[in-house]
Amino acid sequence: MDSGDPAAWDAEAPLFDDEPDHGLRDPLVRDAWRLLLVSLLPPVPSRIADLGCGTGTLAQLVAEEGHGIDGVDFSPEMVRRATAKAGSFPGVTFVVGDAAAPPLPDGQYAVVLCRHVLWALPDPATVLTRWSRMLRPEGRLVMVEGSWSTGAGLTVARAVDLVTGAGFVPDHRLLNDPAYWGGTITDERYVVVGRRR
Ligand SMILES: C[S@@+](CC[C@H](N)C(=O)[O-])C[C@H]1O[C@@H](n2cnc3c(N)ncnc32)[C@H](O)[C@@H]1O
């Protein structure tokens, strides 16, 4: 598929949540992501931007914890599903838009959260500069990415360089535990948190 084509993601949307780490239907997988996010996010309630939010599963998880969250995705079908899943939580919104230039305000967010999207954007360094403007002074980036066996993705070294280049101090954690993925993995999956220098 063409990862830069919203229509391609519209077509993926109906089956997207069938992957264990997408739908988080297995309570053990869901709890692994919940605990990971709780450990990486600031105290409740914080305002979070979820860029390339997909079907809104992470947004729902974070909203259940009591955070406010604004999700952006360029696939109208993903946004429709995210709204159905999590749009009724207080302080939760979803909008169709480009994650590279989100239609969200500057200087308002405690966290810019992104899972498995930055790698697919054409100019990730410029994108991170844009995202950094969305953060409050004490805000942080939380980037879940991977370098997959298909050859797609970003290596952890590249992601750390990008976060550093955008003016943040990076801290990364490998996500090797099968609990995150519903099975063992052989490729490089990780989260990088960027805090301001
Ligand atoms: C692999 S999915 C990840 C979804 C979600 N972040 C998650 O982890 O469940 C990638 C998502 O990013 C969206 N996406 C890709 N490029 C985008 C762009 N330039 N602007 C907005 N959304 C984008 C796709 O529509 C899709 O929903």
Side-chain angles (χ1 to χ4, degrees):
M1 70 174 285
D2 176 358
S3 62
D5 177 8
W9 286 106
D10 276 348
E12 292 285 314
L15 296 181
F16 188 79
D17 280 356
D18 289 355
E19 289 295 321
D21 59 308
H22 292 171
L24 305 184
R25 290 170 176 150
D26 178 336
L28 294 178
V29 177
R30 189 173 191 82
D31 210 42
W33 283 98
R34 187 183 65 75
L35 290 173
L36 177 70
L37 290 174
V38 165
S39 76
L40 300 176
L41 299 178
V44 171
S46 293
R47 193 171 179 195
I48 297 170
D50 182 7
L51 304 180
C53 61
T55 57
T57 307
L58 290 190
Q60 180 189 34
L61 208 54
V62 163
E64 285 170 354
E65 294 298 313
H67 294 291
I69 186 153
D70 296 322
V72 176
D73 203 288
F74 69 0
S75 154
E77 186 54 25
M78 290 289 191
V79 168
R80 191 187 70 74
R81 286 167 186 272
T83 304
K85 189 183 285 182
S88 61
F89 283 87
V92 175
T93 70
F94 296 99
V95 65
V96 176
D98 185 358
L104 298 177
D106 282 350
Q108 299 294 315
Y109 291 93
V111 179
V112 169
L113 170 68
C114 171
R115 185 176 74 161
H116 300 161
V117 180
L118 183 65
W119 72 273
L121 301 178
D123 183 355
T126 301
V127 166
L128 285 181
T129 301
R130 168 72 188 87
W131 292 358
S132 71
R133 285 205 303 273
M134 296 168 62
L135 291 171
R136 297 162 59 91
E138 75 284 6
R140 67 186 74 163
L141 300 173
V142 176
M143 309 281 105
V144 179
E145 290 292 339
S147 174
W148 296 285
S149 48
T150 57
L154 293 172
T155 63
V156 66
R158 175 73 179 130
V160 162
D161 279 354
L162 284 165
V163 168
T164 305
F168 295 86
V169 177
D171 183 20
H172 76 270
R173 190 187 302 181
L174 295 178
L175 302 178
N176 292 328
D177 189 333
Y180 293 117
W181 314 107
T184 53
I185 56 157
T186 54
D187 41 21
E188 188 179 61
R189 307 191 194 188
Y190 58 88
V191 57
V192 180
V193 176
R195 292 183 175 79
R196 287 194 195 280
R197 289 197 187 104

